[in-house]
Amino acid sequence: MSRKPFRRASDAERRADLIDAMLDCIAEGGIQNATVREVAERAGVSGGLIRHYFATKEQLLHAAYRHTMVAMTEISAEAGMADGKSAQAKFAGFVSACLMPPMIDARRLSLWAAFIAMARIDPAMGAIHRESYLEYRGLIERLLAGAYEEAGRSVAPVVVRRLAIEVNAVLDGLWLEGSLAGDLFEGQELLKAGLHSVGSITGLRLDHIEG
Amino acid sequence: MSRKPFRRASDAERRADLIDAMLDCIAEGGIQNATVREVAERAGVSGGLIRHYFATKEQLLHAAYRHTMVAMTEISAEAGMADGKSAQAKFAGFVSACLMPPMIDARRLSLWAAFIAMARIDPAMGAIHRESYLEYRGLIERLLAGAYEEAGRSVAPVVVRRLAIEVNAVLDGLWLEGSLAGDLFEGQELLKAGLHSVGSITGLRLDHIEG
DNA sequence: TCGCTAGTTATACACTTGCATAATAAGCTC
DNA sequence: GAGCTTATTATGCAAGTGTATAACTAGCGA
């Protein structure tokens, strides 16, 4: 009748572990598989502990969703921030990053889809979605505006916004296709498609860009 | 102790009812809410009946997924088949149809996302996905090839295929954005974005097309 | 009208679910 | 090291889960 020995972890560490475990559950078995017990086991922790950090399973889910979207935004934002590059090169780097690992990733896609499916059902999930969507679109808008300014082209803000929507759409779509069926695309096919289509939409030449 | 009176329905009718009920469950409460009892109640039928038509709940889910994708493909295929139109107009009609109701629809998106999330988890769902994806892409490829031929432009099949992938991606992305947050787009904004971006990618002028 | 078939309901069962509660022990403070 | 706080485990519970089984009845054919 001896209890399992344990180690007291910091608040941040435990939360992160639980979020990771929750994401693993969803990615590998779908939302239906993300039960309190399954999450706890994956986190190497007893079931009751979850309630100590999150009032309810739903709240853990919300935290996991937010975590996922913040991570994705960060990955591509970084690619669009590299120093010592022209604005157009930054934009091209951003587009490329969106269409390569670690962004192109089947697991990421499964998670994203599971969350999106709940965005309309659970208002809190909907709010998280909108928040991250607008942030992402804003990022594209800024990169785009920078590239146009550098190229000496004056484009009205309202047009930049519309183009950002379109760019976001292609990137979403290609990201989707690539993550879902990466084996259908050989080599750099996805990347080429992205640079070409984004280039066509924006009127910027994104291939042949150096530093 | 009197039983509920009932009516014996045809095989096709009952299956359709059950599939509809299953889709309602998923759309309104997520996969987690699609329980045997909930589906049965929505279909106005006792729980056990489901087993009479589908060996397992999973099989009903597969049928529901297939049904959803076939319906979506049909809607946009029809728009690309209208008689008495030029090939370019057909293509433009197809693009437009993809970005308007009934294609742009929050419920449809929730369903799609819930299914996509399972595509990597459940092999059968994965197969259904791949099947419908390839059919959709093939449809775009044919419409595109027709439009190029009509315009007197000779484009290599491999290029048409790549452009079809890109077009599919923008349409997916815009469909996503429109269905998720239709209120962020005023009037014809989504449609304009679609015609512009697809036009840019393909080099075809899709606006200003009559009959 | 009288079966008979099979579509349909009702019930049971073993198991899982999320959450509440109480008991325990890790590890800090003094 | 003693004592205290609280992170952590263990257990319990009511509700819900998918499916198997048996009883019933609608509606066809004779």
Side-chain angles (χ1 to χ4, degrees), chain B residues 164-198:
Chain B
I165 291 174
E166 296 181 30
V167 168
N168 185 37
V170 212
L171 291 181
D172 269 7
L174 285 172
W175 171 77
L176 215 81
E177 293 194 62
S179 299
L180 265 169
D183 55 307
L184 292 181
F185 302 93
E186 311 138 7
Q188 310 276 38
E189 201 174 6
L190 200 66
L191 215 60
K192 266 167 45 184
L195 291 171
H196 169 253
S197 51
V198 171

PDB file of all heavy atoms in Angstrom, chain B residues 164-198:
ATOM      1  N   ALA B 164      -3.090  23.828 -60.551  1.00  0.00           N
ATOM      2  CA  ALA B 164      -4.314  23.337 -59.910  1.00  0.00           C
ATOM      3  C   ALA B 164      -4.104  23.199 -58.403  1.00  0.00           C
ATOM      4  O   ALA B 164      -4.991  23.500 -57.603  1.00  0.00           O
ATOM      5  CB  ALA B 164      -4.726  22.001 -60.507  1.00  0.00           C
ATOM      6  N   ILE B 165      -2.928  22.758 -58.036  1.00  0.00           N
ATOM      7  CA  ILE B 165      -2.611  22.648 -56.609  1.00  0.00           C
ATOM      8  C   ILE B 165      -2.660  24.018 -55.955  1.00  0.00           C
ATOM      9  O   ILE B 165      -3.232  24.197 -54.883  1.00  0.00           O
ATOM     10  CB  ILE B 165      -1.216  22.019 -56.416  1.00  0.00           C
ATOM     11  CG1 ILE B 165      -1.240  20.556 -56.832  1.00  0.00           C
ATOM     12  CG2 ILE B 165      -0.754  22.162 -54.969  1.00  0.00           C
ATOM     13  CD1 ILE B 165       0.129  19.887 -56.813  1.00  0.00           C
ATOM     14  N   GLU B 166      -2.082  24.988 -56.631  1.00  0.00           N
ATOM     15  CA  GLU B 166      -2.080  26.335 -56.072  1.00  0.00           C
ATOM     16  C   GLU B 166      -3.492  26.899 -55.983  1.00  0.00           C
ATOM     17  O   GLU B 166      -3.870  27.500 -54.972  1.00  0.00           O
ATOM     18  CB  GLU B 166      -1.200  27.256 -56.930  1.00  0.00           C
ATOM     19  CG  GLU B 166       0.270  26.835 -56.935  1.00  0.00           C
ATOM     20  CD  GLU B 166       1.139  27.772 -57.776  1.00  0.00           C
ATOM     21  OE1 GLU B 166       0.808  28.967 -57.878  1.00  0.00           O
ATOM     22  OE2 GLU B 166       2.144  27.296 -58.349  1.00  0.00           O
ATOM     23  N   VAL B 167      -4.254  26.691 -57.035  1.00  0.00           N
ATOM     24  CA  VAL B 167      -5.632  27.194 -57.036  1.00  0.00           C
ATOM     25  C   VAL B 167      -6.432  26.536 -55.923  1.00  0.00           C
ATOM     26  O   VAL B 167      -7.157  27.196 -55.168  1.00  0.00           O
ATOM     27  CB  VAL B 167      -6.307  26.936 -58.403  1.00  0.00           C
ATOM     28  CG1 VAL B 167      -7.806  27.181 -58.320  1.00  0.00           C
ATOM     29  CG2 VAL B 167      -5.679  27.800 -59.471  1.00  0.00           C
ATOM     30  N   ASN B 168      -6.269  25.245 -55.820  1.00  0.00           N
ATOM     31  CA  ASN B 168      -6.960  24.521 -54.749  1.00  0.00           C
ATOM     32  C   ASN B 168      -6.581  25.109 -53.392  1.00  0.00           C
ATOM     33  O   ASN B 168      -7.435  25.282 -52.517  1.00  0.00           O
ATOM     34  CB  ASN B 168      -6.584  23.040 -54.808  1.00  0.00           C
ATOM     35  CG  ASN B 168      -7.363  22.217 -53.809  1.00  0.00           C
ATOM     36  OD1 ASN B 168      -8.537  22.476 -53.561  1.00  0.00           O
ATOM     37  ND2 ASN B 168      -6.707  21.236 -53.214  1.00  0.00           N
ATOM     38  N   ALA B 169      -5.324  25.433 -53.234  1.00  0.00           N
ATOM     39  CA  ALA B 169      -4.857  25.974 -51.964  1.00  0.00           C
ATOM     40  C   ALA B 169      -5.507  27.322 -51.655  1.00  0.00           C
ATOM     41  O   ALA B 169      -6.011  27.534 -50.562  1.00  0.00           O
ATOM     42  CB  ALA B 169      -3.339  26.107 -51.970  1.00  0.00           C
ATOM     43  N   VAL B 170      -5.503  28.234 -52.624  1.00  0.00           N
ATOM     44  CA  VAL B 170      -6.143  29.538 -52.344  1.00  0.00           C
ATOM     45  C   VAL B 170      -7.606  29.353 -52.034  1.00  0.00           C
ATOM     46  O   VAL B 170      -8.126  29.988 -51.109  1.00  0.00           O
ATOM     47  CB  VAL B 170      -6.150  30.515 -53.551  1.00  0.00           C
ATOM     48  CG1 VAL B 170      -6.049  31.948 -53.064  1.00  0.00           C
ATOM     49  CG2 VAL B 170      -5.128  30.181 -54.560  1.00  0.00           C
ATOM     50  N   LEU B 171      -8.259  28.525 -52.820  1.00  0.00           N
ATOM     51  CA  LEU B 171      -9.696  28.345 -52.597  1.00  0.00           C
ATOM     52  C   LEU B 171      -9.945  27.749 -51.215  1.00  0.00           C
ATOM     53  O   LEU B 171     -10.816  28.210 -50.479  1.00  0.00           O
ATOM     54  CB  LEU B 171     -10.289  27.443 -53.687  1.00  0.00           C
ATOM     55  CG  LEU B 171     -10.323  28.090 -55.079  1.00  0.00           C
ATOM     56  CD1 LEU B 171     -10.947  27.145 -56.093  1.00  0.00           C
ATOM     57  CD2 LEU B 171     -11.074  29.407 -55.039  1.00  0.00           C
ATOM     58  N   ASP B 172      -9.183  26.742 -50.866  1.00  0.00           N
ATOM     59  CA  ASP B 172      -9.292  26.169 -49.521  1.00  0.00           C
ATOM     60  C   ASP B 172      -9.100  27.251 -48.464  1.00  0.00           C
ATOM     61  O   ASP B 172      -9.882  27.374 -47.530  1.00  0.00           O
ATOM     62  CB  ASP B 172      -8.222  25.089 -49.309  1.00  0.00           C
ATOM     63  CG  ASP B 172      -8.724  23.720 -49.692  1.00  0.00           C
ATOM     64  OD1 ASP B 172      -9.837  23.620 -50.232  1.00  0.00           O
ATOM     65  OD2 ASP B 172      -7.998  22.733 -49.446  1.00  0.00           O
ATOM     66  N   GLY B 173      -8.056  28.017 -48.644  1.00  0.00           N
ATOM     67  CA  GLY B 173      -7.728  29.030 -47.645  1.00  0.00           C
ATOM     68  C   GLY B 173      -8.805  30.093 -47.531  1.00  0.00           C
ATOM     69  O   GLY B 173      -9.225  30.452 -46.429  1.00  0.00           O
ATOM     70  N   LEU B 174      -9.278  30.576 -48.662  1.00  0.00           N
ATOM     71  CA  LEU B 174     -10.311  31.607 -48.626  1.00  0.00           C
ATOM     72  C   LEU B 174     -11.626  31.037 -48.113  1.00  0.00           C
ATOM     73  O   LEU B 174     -12.362  31.689 -47.370  1.00  0.00           O
ATOM     74  CB  LEU B 174     -10.502  32.216 -50.024  1.00  0.00           C
ATOM     75  CG  LEU B 174      -9.397  33.181 -50.469  1.00  0.00           C
ATOM     76  CD1 LEU B 174      -9.590  33.566 -51.926  1.00  0.00           C
ATOM     77  CD2 LEU B 174      -9.401  34.428 -49.595  1.00  0.00           C
ATOM     78  N   TRP B 175     -11.909  29.825 -48.520  1.00  0.00           N
ATOM     79  CA  TRP B 175     -13.132  29.164 -48.030  1.00  0.00           C
ATOM     80  C   TRP B 175     -13.086  29.076 -46.504  1.00  0.00           C
ATOM     81  O   TRP B 175     -14.060  29.357 -45.813  1.00  0.00           O
ATOM     82  CB  TRP B 175     -13.233  27.766 -48.652  1.00  0.00           C
ATOM     83  CG  TRP B 175     -14.317  26.926 -48.072  1.00  0.00           C
ATOM     84  CD1 TRP B 175     -15.653  27.028 -48.328  1.00  0.00           C
ATOM     85  CD2 TRP B 175     -14.168  25.878 -47.109  1.00  0.00           C
ATOM     86  NE1 TRP B 175     -16.344  26.090 -47.589  1.00  0.00           N
ATOM     87  CE2 TRP B 175     -15.460  25.374 -46.836  1.00  0.00           C
ATOM     88  CE3 TRP B 175     -13.066  25.303 -46.462  1.00  0.00           C
ATOM     89  CZ2 TRP B 175     -15.668  24.332 -45.941  1.00  0.00           C
ATOM     90  CZ3 TRP B 175     -13.278  24.264 -45.576  1.00  0.00           C
ATOM     91  CH2 TRP B 175     -14.564  23.792 -45.325  1.00  0.00           C
ATOM     92  N   LEU B 176     -11.934  28.701 -46.023  1.00  0.00           N
ATOM     93  CA  LEU B 176     -11.692  28.612 -44.589  1.00  0.00           C
ATOM     94  C   LEU B 176     -11.942  29.947 -43.909  1.00  0.00           C
ATOM     95  O   LEU B 176     -12.698  30.037 -42.942  1.00  0.00           O
ATOM     96  CB  LEU B 176     -10.233  28.225 -44.397  1.00  0.00           C
ATOM     97  CG  LEU B 176      -9.876  27.334 -43.249  1.00  0.00           C
ATOM     98  CD1 LEU B 176     -10.173  25.908 -43.627  1.00  0.00           C
ATOM     99  CD2 LEU B 176      -8.408  27.484 -42.917  1.00  0.00           C
ATOM    100  N   GLU B 177     -11.276  30.965 -44.412  1.00  0.00           N
ATOM    101  CA  GLU B 177     -11.388  32.288 -43.795  1.00  0.00           C
ATOM    102  C   GLU B 177     -12.827  32.787 -43.845  1.00  0.00           C
ATOM    103  O   GLU B 177     -13.355  33.286 -42.854  1.00  0.00           O
ATOM    104  CB  GLU B 177     -10.471  33.285 -44.500  1.00  0.00           C
ATOM    105  CG  GLU B 177      -8.998  32.970 -44.290  1.00  0.00           C
ATOM    106  CD  GLU B 177      -8.101  34.132 -44.704  1.00  0.00           C
ATOM    107  OE1 GLU B 177      -8.211  35.210 -44.111  1.00  0.00           O
ATOM    108  OE2 GLU B 177      -7.287  33.949 -45.632  1.00  0.00           O
ATOM    109  N   GLY B 178     -13.442  32.620 -44.998  1.00  0.00           N
ATOM    110  CA  GLY B 178     -14.811  33.096 -45.152  1.00  0.00           C
ATOM    111  C   GLY B 178     -15.790  32.356 -44.256  1.00  0.00           C
ATOM    112  O   GLY B 178     -16.680  32.961 -43.651  1.00  0.00           O
ATOM    113  N   SER B 179     -15.596  31.053 -44.162  1.00  0.00           N
ATOM    114  CA  SER B 179     -16.533  30.267 -43.362  1.00  0.00           C
ATOM    115  C   SER B 179     -16.316  30.479 -41.875  1.00  0.00           C
ATOM    116  O   SER B 179     -17.248  30.421 -41.079  1.00  0.00           O
ATOM    117  CB  SER B 179     -16.380  28.781 -43.701  1.00  0.00           C
ATOM    118  OG  SER B 179     -16.671  28.544 -45.055  1.00  0.00           O
ATOM    119  N   LEU B 180     -15.075  30.720 -41.510  1.00  0.00           N
ATOM    120  CA  LEU B 180     -14.749  30.887 -40.094  1.00  0.00           C
ATOM    121  C   LEU B 180     -15.161  32.246 -39.581  1.00  0.00           C
ATOM    122  O   LEU B 180     -15.630  32.380 -38.458  1.00  0.00           O
ATOM    123  CB  LEU B 180     -13.250  30.723 -39.890  1.00  0.00           C
ATOM    124  CG  LEU B 180     -12.758  29.352 -39.497  1.00  0.00           C
ATOM    125  CD1 LEU B 180     -11.262  29.281 -39.603  1.00  0.00           C
ATOM    126  CD2 LEU B 180     -13.212  28.997 -38.095  1.00  0.00           C
ATOM    127  N   ALA B 181     -14.947  33.254 -40.399  1.00  0.00           N
ATOM    128  CA  ALA B 181     -15.197  34.608 -39.914  1.00  0.00           C
ATOM    129  C   ALA B 181     -15.797  35.449 -41.022  1.00  0.00           C
ATOM    130  O   ALA B 181     -15.252  36.467 -41.425  1.00  0.00           O
ATOM    131  CB  ALA B 181     -13.901  35.229 -39.421  1.00  0.00           C
ATOM    132  N   GLY B 182     -16.939  34.999 -41.497  1.00  0.00           N
ATOM    133  CA  GLY B 182     -17.608  35.672 -42.593  1.00  0.00           C
ATOM    134  C   GLY B 182     -17.852  37.142 -42.306  1.00  0.00           C
ATOM    135  O   GLY B 182     -17.837  37.973 -43.212  1.00  0.00           O
ATOM    136  N   ASP B 183     -18.028  37.469 -41.034  1.00  0.00           N
ATOM    137  CA  ASP B 183     -18.357  38.847 -40.694  1.00  0.00           C
ATOM    138  C   ASP B 183     -17.170  39.788 -40.878  1.00  0.00           C
ATOM    139  O   ASP B 183     -17.335  40.992 -40.888  1.00  0.00           O
ATOM    140  CB  ASP B 183     -18.856  38.919 -39.247  1.00  0.00           C
ATOM    141  CG  ASP B 183     -17.850  38.309 -38.281  1.00  0.00           C
ATOM    142  OD1 ASP B 183     -17.446  37.159 -38.511  1.00  0.00           O
ATOM    143  OD2 ASP B 183     -17.459  38.987 -37.325  1.00  0.00           O
ATOM    144  N   LEU B 184     -15.983  39.231 -41.037  1.00  0.00           N
ATOM    145  CA  LEU B 184     -14.819  40.095 -41.250  1.00  0.00           C
ATOM    146  C   LEU B 184     -14.716  40.535 -42.701  1.00  0.00           C
ATOM    147  O   LEU B 184     -13.916  41.389 -43.044  1.00  0.00           O
ATOM    148  CB  LEU B 184     -13.527  39.368 -40.845  1.00  0.00           C
ATOM    149  CG  LEU B 184     -13.349  39.092 -39.351  1.00  0.00           C
ATOM    150  CD1 LEU B 184     -12.028  38.403 -39.098  1.00  0.00           C
ATOM    151  CD2 LEU B 184     -13.396  40.390 -38.557  1.00  0.00           C
ATOM    152  N   PHE B 185     -15.511  39.940 -43.560  1.00  0.00           N
ATOM    153  CA  PHE B 185     -15.452  40.295 -44.980  1.00  0.00           C
ATOM    154  C   PHE B 185     -16.747  40.975 -45.391  1.00  0.00           C
ATOM    155  O   PHE B 185     -17.834  40.444 -45.194  1.00  0.00           O
ATOM    156  CB  PHE B 185     -15.250  39.044 -45.831  1.00  0.00           C
ATOM    157  CG  PHE B 185     -14.012  38.285 -45.470  1.00  0.00           C
ATOM    158  CD1 PHE B 185     -14.066  37.248 -44.563  1.00  0.00           C
ATOM    159  CD2 PHE B 185     -12.785  38.631 -46.016  1.00  0.00           C
ATOM    160  CE1 PHE B 185     -12.927  36.551 -44.209  1.00  0.00           C
ATOM    161  CE2 PHE B 185     -11.640  37.936 -45.672  1.00  0.00           C
ATOM    162  CZ  PHE B 185     -11.709  36.903 -44.759  1.00  0.00           C
ATOM    163  N   GLU B 186     -16.604  42.159 -45.958  1.00  0.00           N
ATOM    164  CA  GLU B 186     -17.806  42.876 -46.390  1.00  0.00           C
ATOM    165  C   GLU B 186     -18.144  42.505 -47.828  1.00  0.00           C
ATOM    166  O   GLU B 186     -17.266  42.318 -48.663  1.00  0.00           O
ATOM    167  CB  GLU B 186     -17.573  44.385 -46.318  1.00  0.00           C
ATOM    168  CG  GLU B 186     -16.981  44.859 -45.009  1.00  0.00           C
ATOM    169  CD  GLU B 186     -15.897  45.895 -45.243  1.00  0.00           C
ATOM    170  OE1 GLU B 186     -15.723  46.310 -46.413  1.00  0.00           O
ATOM    171  OE2 GLU B 186     -15.224  46.271 -44.276  1.00  0.00           O
ATOM    172  N   GLY B 187     -19.424  42.439 -48.074  1.00  0.00           N
ATOM    173  CA  GLY B 187     -19.931  42.275 -49.425  1.00  0.00           C
ATOM    174  C   GLY B 187     -19.237  41.215 -50.242  1.00  0.00           C
ATOM    175  O   GLY B 187     -19.182  40.053 -49.869  1.00  0.00           O
ATOM    176  N   GLN B 188     -18.688  41.644 -51.338  1.00  0.00           N
ATOM    177  CA  GLN B 188     -18.080  40.722 -52.288  1.00  0.00           C
ATOM    178  C   GLN B 188     -16.578  40.571 -52.070  1.00  0.00           C
ATOM    179  O   GLN B 188     -15.855  40.097 -52.940  1.00  0.00           O
ATOM    180  CB  GLN B 188     -18.323  41.224 -53.716  1.00  0.00           C
ATOM    181  CG  GLN B 188     -19.755  41.584 -54.022  1.00  0.00           C
ATOM    182  CD  GLN B 188     -20.575  40.358 -54.414  1.00  0.00           C
ATOM    183  OE1 GLN B 188     -20.406  39.276 -53.850  1.00  0.00           O
ATOM    184  NE2 GLN B 188     -21.435  40.522 -55.397  1.00  0.00           N
ATOM    185  N   GLU B 189     -16.103  41.037 -50.932  1.00  0.00           N
ATOM    186  CA  GLU B 189     -14.660  41.082 -50.697  1.00  0.00           C
ATOM    187  C   GLU B 189     -13.997  39.728 -50.926  1.00  0.00           C
ATOM    188  O   GLU B 189     -12.949  39.624 -51.550  1.00  0.00           O
ATOM    189  CB  GLU B 189     -14.401  41.553 -49.257  1.00  0.00           C
ATOM    190  CG  GLU B 189     -13.008  42.122 -49.054  1.00  0.00           C
ATOM    191  CD  GLU B 189     -12.861  42.718 -47.652  1.00  0.00           C
ATOM    192  OE1 GLU B 189     -13.797  42.584 -46.841  1.00  0.00           O
ATOM    193  OE2 GLU B 189     -11.816  43.319 -47.388  1.00  0.00           O
ATOM    194  N   LEU B 190     -14.630  38.701 -50.382  1.00  0.00           N
ATOM    195  CA  LEU B 190     -14.063  37.357 -50.483  1.00  0.00           C
ATOM    196  C   LEU B 190     -14.013  36.911 -51.941  1.00  0.00           C
ATOM    197  O   LEU B 190     -13.007  36.371 -52.418  1.00  0.00           O
ATOM    198  CB  LEU B 190     -14.913  36.388 -49.657  1.00  0.00           C
ATOM    199  CG  LEU B 190     -14.250  35.091 -49.260  1.00  0.00           C
ATOM    200  CD1 LEU B 190     -13.110  35.339 -48.301  1.00  0.00           C
ATOM    201  CD2 LEU B 190     -15.278  34.165 -48.609  1.00  0.00           C
ATOM    202  N   LEU B 191     -15.100  37.167 -52.635  1.00  0.00           N
ATOM    203  CA  LEU B 191     -15.198  36.791 -54.038  1.00  0.00           C
ATOM    204  C   LEU B 191     -14.137  37.512 -54.856  1.00  0.00           C
ATOM    205  O   LEU B 191     -13.459  36.923 -55.700  1.00  0.00           O
ATOM    206  CB  LEU B 191     -16.595  37.155 -54.549  1.00  0.00           C
ATOM    207  CG  LEU B 191     -17.216  36.224 -55.566  1.00  0.00           C
ATOM    208  CD1 LEU B 191     -17.349  34.840 -54.966  1.00  0.00           C
ATOM    209  CD2 LEU B 191     -18.578  36.749 -55.982  1.00  0.00           C
ATOM    210  N   LYS B 192     -13.996  38.798 -54.591  1.00  0.00           N
ATOM    211  CA  LYS B 192     -13.007  39.580 -55.321  1.00  0.00           C
ATOM    212  C   LYS B 192     -11.607  39.055 -55.056  1.00  0.00           C
ATOM    213  O   LYS B 192     -10.783  38.915 -55.968  1.00  0.00           O
ATOM    214  CB  LYS B 192     -13.107  41.063 -54.929  1.00  0.00           C
ATOM    215  CG  LYS B 192     -13.993  41.824 -55.883  1.00  0.00           C
ATOM    216  CD  LYS B 192     -14.428  43.209 -55.457  1.00  0.00           C
ATOM    217  CE  LYS B 192     -13.434  44.156 -54.873  1.00  0.00           C
ATOM    218  NZ  LYS B 192     -14.124  45.426 -54.455  1.00  0.00           N
ATOM    219  N   ALA B 193     -11.338  38.745 -53.791  1.00  0.00           N
ATOM    220  CA  ALA B 193     -10.028  38.217 -53.442  1.00  0.00           C
ATOM    221  C   ALA B 193      -9.779  36.902 -54.175  1.00  0.00           C
ATOM    222  O   ALA B 193      -8.680  36.649 -54.671  1.00  0.00           O
ATOM    223  CB  ALA B 193      -9.932  38.011 -51.935  1.00  0.00           C
ATOM    224  N   GLY B 194     -10.793  36.078 -54.253  1.00  0.00           N
ATOM    225  CA  GLY B 194     -10.646  34.783 -54.924  1.00  0.00           C
ATOM    226  C   GLY B 194     -10.388  34.939 -56.403  1.00  0.00           C
ATOM    227  O   GLY B 194      -9.460  34.338 -56.946  1.00  0.00           O
ATOM    228  N   LEU B 195     -11.183  35.761 -57.057  1.00  0.00           N
ATOM    229  CA  LEU B 195     -11.013  35.930 -58.502  1.00  0.00           C
ATOM    230  C   LEU B 195      -9.663  36.570 -58.809  1.00  0.00           C
ATOM    231  O   LEU B 195      -8.996  36.205 -59.777  1.00  0.00           O
ATOM    232  CB  LEU B 195     -12.160  36.770 -59.071  1.00  0.00           C
ATOM    233  CG  LEU B 195     -13.522  36.056 -59.042  1.00  0.00           C
ATOM    234  CD1 LEU B 195     -14.658  37.008 -59.405  1.00  0.00           C
ATOM    235  CD2 LEU B 195     -13.512  34.858 -59.997  1.00  0.00           C
ATOM    236  N   HIS B 196      -9.263  37.515 -57.962  1.00  0.00           N
ATOM    237  CA  HIS B 196      -7.977  38.167 -58.199  1.00  0.00           C
ATOM    238  C   HIS B 196      -6.816  37.201 -58.016  1.00  0.00           C
ATOM    239  O   HIS B 196      -5.941  37.081 -58.865  1.00  0.00           O
ATOM    240  CB  HIS B 196      -7.797  39.367 -57.275  1.00  0.00           C
ATOM    241  CG  HIS B 196      -6.406  39.916 -57.299  1.00  0.00           C
ATOM    242  ND1 HIS B 196      -5.519  39.741 -56.247  1.00  0.00           N
ATOM    243  CD2 HIS B 196      -5.734  40.604 -58.255  1.00  0.00           C
ATOM    244  CE1 HIS B 196      -4.371  40.309 -56.565  1.00  0.00           C
ATOM    245  NE2 HIS B 196      -4.474  40.860 -57.766  1.00  0.00           N
ATOM    246  N   SER B 197      -6.830  36.480 -56.887  1.00  0.00           N
ATOM    247  CA  SER B 197      -5.683  35.623 -56.613  1.00  0.00           C
ATOM    248  C   SER B 197      -5.624  34.442 -57.589  1.00  0.00           C
ATOM    249  O   SER B 197      -4.549  34.108 -58.111  1.00  0.00           O
ATOM    250  CB  SER B 197      -5.709  35.138 -55.159  1.00  0.00           C
ATOM    251  OG  SER B 197      -6.951  34.594 -54.828  1.00  0.00           O
ATOM    252  N   VAL B 198      -6.754  33.842 -57.857  1.00  0.00           N
ATOM    253  CA  VAL B 198      -6.752  32.736 -58.822  1.00  0.00           C
ATOM    254  C   VAL B 198      -6.358  33.258 -60.201  1.00  0.00           C
ATOM    255  O   VAL B 198      -5.604  32.607 -60.938  1.00  0.00           O
ATOM    256  CB  VAL B 198      -8.127  32.036 -58.874  1.00  0.00           C
ATOM    257  CG1 VAL B 198      -8.175  31.043 -60.021  1.00  0.00           C
ATOM    258  CG2 VAL B 198      -8.405  31.331 -57.558  1.00  0.00           C
TER     259      VAL B 198
END
